[in-house]
Amino acid sequence: MKANIHHKSGSFTIDLSKPIDISISLRGDEKNPIAWYLGTPRIEPVRYGDFIGKVSLGASTNFNDISFNPHGHATHTECVGHITPEFHSINDNLKKFFFLAKLISVEPEVRGEDKVITRAQLEKLIDKGEAEALVIRTLPNTIAKRSKHYSHTNWPYLEEAAARYIRECGVEHLLVDLPSVDREKDEGKLLAHKAFWNYPKNTRFEATITELVYVPVKVEDGGYFLNLQPASFENDAAPCKPVLYKIEK
């Protein structure tokens, strides 16, 4: 099923029958990715009285409660409300869901004990005005990312200047395969978040950050269209299933 898209940057063709799902599914066990010092998410049948919401135990339906944290357990999309004292909902701030995107792969630079994605690296991989959304795949890229426990690992992150450059390129939607664009233990500075959202002086309320994606090795760097649709949560962040569609040449 082909779609011809007329965009301000030109005309493009994509095949809607070939979606590339870059989300990580939520599981109720230790194979789920975990960050921010949380335990595992829970997916359990409802229990009250003699009722257990599980068909194999005699119920007419499977009827589960799910307990999880979007930021620490799942592919999620967040708005600036993640860092503001005022409440801002991702459900209110994101009103468009289809974007011209670019996928790039970056091996973070080693700086002492840190691994950092730098502005100099990004300047070689994306130009200003090239895309509305940017997906960053960090190298090395292994399937272990789908179940990694990130707490206390000092994961790679974006330097402030790199996040500022992404903003200067006109990117409104940033996607990374990390639990955060910032350093795990940064004393609450959140420099990359603030630089990307241009907070607090000229805040980009429409801009979003999506974290904990996974882009398979076989997916090539280059141009795509991104379908970004978080679940309808009235919260700063919501679980999300970002889907890429390769732009045909």
Side-chain angles (χ1 to χ4, degrees):
M1 181 167 52
K2 300 292 183 73
N4 295 316
I5 298 175
H6 301 287
H7 187 271
K8 63 183 179 181
S9 298
S11 295
F12 305 91
T13 300
I14 61 174
D15 189 341
L16 295 176
S17 68
K18 297 180 180 179
I20 302 168
D21 180 1
I22 60 170
S23 68
I24 298 175
S25 60
L26 183 75
R27 305 169 56 101
D29 58 34
E30 290 287 339
K31 292 183 180 180
N32 199 84
I34 299 173
W36 303 118
Y37 327 114
L38 301 171
T40 58
R42 297 190 305 277
I43 304 177
E44 301 172 331
V46 170
R47 297 171 182 264
Y48 56 85
D50 295 331
F51 175 79
I52 302 176
K54 192 173 182 68
V55 173
S56 62
L57 295 179
S60 59
T61 60
N62 293 307
F63 190 49
N64 291 326
D65 281 332
I66 301 176
S67 178
F68 73 102
N69 184 293
H71 293 285
H73 288 140
T75 303
H76 63 277
T77 299
E78 59 195 33
C79 69
V80 73
H82 184 43
I83 63 170
T84 63
E86 307 84 10
F87 176 74
H88 295 284
S89 168
I90 184 63
N91 199 43
D92 292 333
N93 283 26
L94 183 62
K95 293 299 186 183
K96 297 180 181 179
F97 310 102
F98 221 70
F99 309 100
L100 182 63
K102 186 172 187 182
L103 167 64
I104 62 173
S105 297
V106 182
E107 184 170 2
E109 292 185 2
V110 176
R111 292 183 179 176
E113 297 180 352
D114 292 351
K115 295 181 180 179
V116 186
I117 298 170
T118 70
R119 179 182 180 120
Q121 288 178 305
L122 297 183
E123 286 176 340
K124 298 175 183 177
L125 297 170
I126 184 169
D127 296 323
K128 293 183 178 181
E130 188 176 358
E132 299 161 311
L134 176 64
V135 184
I136 298 178
R137 171 172 49 193
T138 56
L139 301 176
N141 185 52
T142 70
I143 199 168
K145 291 177 180 177
R146 297 181 62 87
S147 57
K148 185 175 177 64
H149 291 192
Y150 284 94
S151 300
H152 303 294
T153 62
N154 193 26
W155 55 71
Y157 62 92
L158 275 68
E159 68 175 0
E160 181 181 13
R164 186 182 305 114
Y165 177 69
I166 293 170
R167 186 191 78 219
E168 291 170 354
C169 285
V171 171
E172 293 189 346
H173 306 285
L174 172 61
L175 297 85
V176 298
D177 59 2
L178 303 164
S180 177
V181 296
D182 275 302
R183 195 174 192 268
E184 180 181 9
K185 299 177 181 179
D186 73 341
E187 301 175 341
K189 295 176 182 177
L190 296 170
L191 297 178
H193 280 87
K194 291 176 179 177
F196 176 74
W197 277 316
N198 208 17
Y199 177 83
K201 292 185 178 180
N202 294 293
T203 304
R204 300 197 304 160
F205 292 98
E206 76 287 352
T208 69
I209 297 174
T210 300
E211 296 159 335
L212 283 177
V213 305
Y214 174 70
V215 185
V217 173
K218 66 181 180 180
V219 180
E220 298 177 350
D221 285 3
Y224 293 83
F225 270 89
L226 167 70
N227 184 0
L228 184 67
Q229 292 204 43
S232 297
F233 283 25
E234 294 298 341
N235 190 45
D236 68 282
C240 186
K241 189 183 185 77
V243 176
L244 297 175
Y245 294 91
K246 182 70 176 178
I247 294 174
E248 299 186 351
K249 296 180 181 179

